[in-house]
Amino acid sequence: MPPAPPAPPAPESDSLATPVAWTGGDGRLAGCNPAFASWLGVGARRLLGRPLPDLEAEEPGRLQAALARLHVDAAPLRLRRMHLRHPEADERFADLWLSMTDAGVLVEAHPVDEFPGDDPALLLPSALSATLKGLAHELRNPLAGLKGAAQLLGRRAAGGERELVGLIEDEVGRLATLVDQLLHPEAAAAQAPVNIHVVLERVLRLAESDAGWAVRLVRDYDPSLPELEGDADRLVQALWNLVRNAIQAGAGRVVLRTRAEHGLRIGDQAWPLALRLEVVDDGRGVPADLAGRIFLPLVTGHAEGTGLGLPLAQQVAREHRGSLAWRSRPGHTVFTLLLPFTREHPPADGPA
């Protein structure tokens, strides 16, 4: 059976700022307006003849199911936060409107942010922050008393009792450290040129010591990246928290990926060049009941966790004028750190 003829061109869509594409009766892309090609980051000719569902990046099946439904009841459909990508371009996110035409399907894309919603840490009421500090202050004296009592018991204990006393001392020490972190957050240090891949190698050494052979650690680096202005120790601390969270979530594979981003906006500031650093794992994912609160202090999904790792990582991102965000489903979690290169740098293929 011969393929359906392509949908006729829609010249009136060429002037639209909204990305629009259309398919023929066979479900393959028959055309698009310049806005769609520009937004997707690929030439219009590269799209022609490609099945529309092939543009799905992570969750194949949504577009195919929507097209089948569209052919049954013909009512326009809205698909929220579709994750799209052409093999020759970067990933994109958009709400898609699909509607039937005489020749096929009209696709209207409304681009959305990759990481939706407000920064949860910015929504934390100051009263809660004050309460946490007040609680930490009240805990200091009892913890000091417990530590002193444990030390006295340790002098008198023998055999197995000494091991139990040592356990008490260790736990008291851990709680005291947690209290100190709540009361006295570490101040940002002076920044200097940093090779992000040197930072990541330190993190990988920590991960190898912690997880051994239980987790496969994968490097996916862009070696052409310039140096950042930053604090190497703070970056190690932040990234180690992200990798350790992945390990604790049962990941069997963790990927550390670095890429350059051009013309990126972080918050209200536009940067000509920025680092996109992703920590990708195949673990259990972020629990649904914690999804809106993972950057709040003391919120954790791990029994052995303190709930300070992610807030600290986000704080480090801000110290470097960047941002930290995430997306997650079981088997695929991505934490994305965006950090601007604040100095002028030559192009990657230009003179050093």
Side-chain angles (χ1 to χ4, degrees):
M1 185 174 179
E12 67 276 5
S13 69
D14 287 355
S15 61
L16 294 177
T18 301
V20 174
W22 51 91
T23 75
D26 58 357
R28 295 177 180 272
L29 287 166
C32 66
N33 69 348
F36 189 91
S38 175
W39 168 70
L40 204 55
V42 66
R45 291 185 178 181
R46 297 286 188 182
L47 295 170
L48 297 182
R50 178 174 291 274
L52 181 61
D54 281 4
L55 294 181
E56 285 191 82
E58 275 188 10
E59 300 178 39
R62 285 185 67 191
L63 265 175
Q64 188 66 53
L67 292 174
R69 180 179 168 189
L70 196 63
H71 281 88
V72 171
D73 58 24
L77 293 178
R78 181 182 184 184
L79 302 180
R80 293 183 179 273
R81 290 194 49 74
M82 287 297 299
H83 185 186
L84 306 177
R85 182 175 186 176
H86 188 277
E88 300 174 12
D90 294 331
E91 56 192 11
R92 297 288 186 267
F93 294 80
D95 291 343
L96 297 185
W97 281 99
L98 307 180
S99 55
M100 292 295 298
T101 68
D102 292 338
V105 176
L106 183 68
V107 183
E108 186 175 324
H110 295 269
V112 296
D113 291 336
E114 178 179 352
F115 305 108
D118 295 323
D119 182 345
L122 297 178
L123 304 178
L124 180 65
S126 57
L128 176 57
S129 178
T131 300
L132 288 174
K133 289 191 174 183
L135 175 62
H137 183 77
E138 291 299 319
L139 287 174
R140 292 188 76 176
N141 288 338
L143 286 174
L146 286 172
K147 182 177 180 180
Q151 289 173 341
L152 289 175
L153 286 173
R155 296 172 187 171
R156 304 173 186 175
E161 293 179 350
R162 186 179 297 277
E163 182 179 347
L164 293 175
V165 171
L167 178 62
I168 294 173
E169 289 182 323
D170 289 344
E171 288 301 296
V172 168
R174 186 177 68 84
L175 290 173
T177 299
L178 175 60
V179 166
D180 286 341
Q181 288 176 334
L182 287 173
L183 285 173
H184 307 293
E186 189 173 344
Q191 296 186 351
V194 174
N195 184 324
I196 193 61
H197 299 131
V198 172
V199 167
L200 289 174
E201 289 302 306
R202 286 175 57 188
V203 172
L204 286 170
R205 284 197 294 272
L206 290 171
E208 289 165 353
S209 299
D210 185 75
W213 296 102
V215 178
R216 182 185 173 203
L217 302 167
V218 180
R219 299 165 174 84
D220 183 4
Y221 298 164
D222 178 354
S224 69
L225 293 175
E227 289 186 325
L228 282 168
E229 288 291 324
D231 181 340
D233 289 337
R234 292 285 278 172
L235 289 169
V236 167
Q237 190 176 16
L239 292 166
W240 169 227
N241 281 329
L242 298 181
V243 172
R244 183 168 51 189
N245 276 358
I247 294 171
Q248 291 175 346
R253 183 173 184 267
V254 178
V255 180
L256 299 180
R257 178 179 299 128
T258 61
R259 293 291 186 271
E261 289 276 351
H262 297 272
L264 185 69
R265 179 173 292 275
I266 302 176
D268 295 330
Q269 179 71 47
W271 300 96
L273 185 64
L275 165 70
R276 182 186 186 93
L277 194 160
E278 294 182 337
V279 178
V280 186
D281 74 78
D282 59 358
R284 293 183 295 271
V286 175
D289 60 330
L290 300 183
R293 302 181 291 125
I294 63 171
F295 289 124
L296 302 184
L298 304 183
V299 173
T300 178
H302 310 299
E304 66 275 22
T306 64
L308 293 179
L310 288 177
L312 183 144
Q314 190 179 63
Q315 176 60 34
V316 172
R318 289 181 179 142
E319 291 169 6
H320 292 77
R321 296 164 293 280
S323 67
L324 175 66
W326 63 280
R327 62 180 184 272
S328 178
R329 56 181 169 82
H332 188 80
T333 296
V334 183
F335 276 86
T336 300
L337 183 64
L338 299 175
L339 301 176
F341 292 104
T342 54
R343 296 188 300 171
E344 291 296 326
H345 297 283
D349 56 353

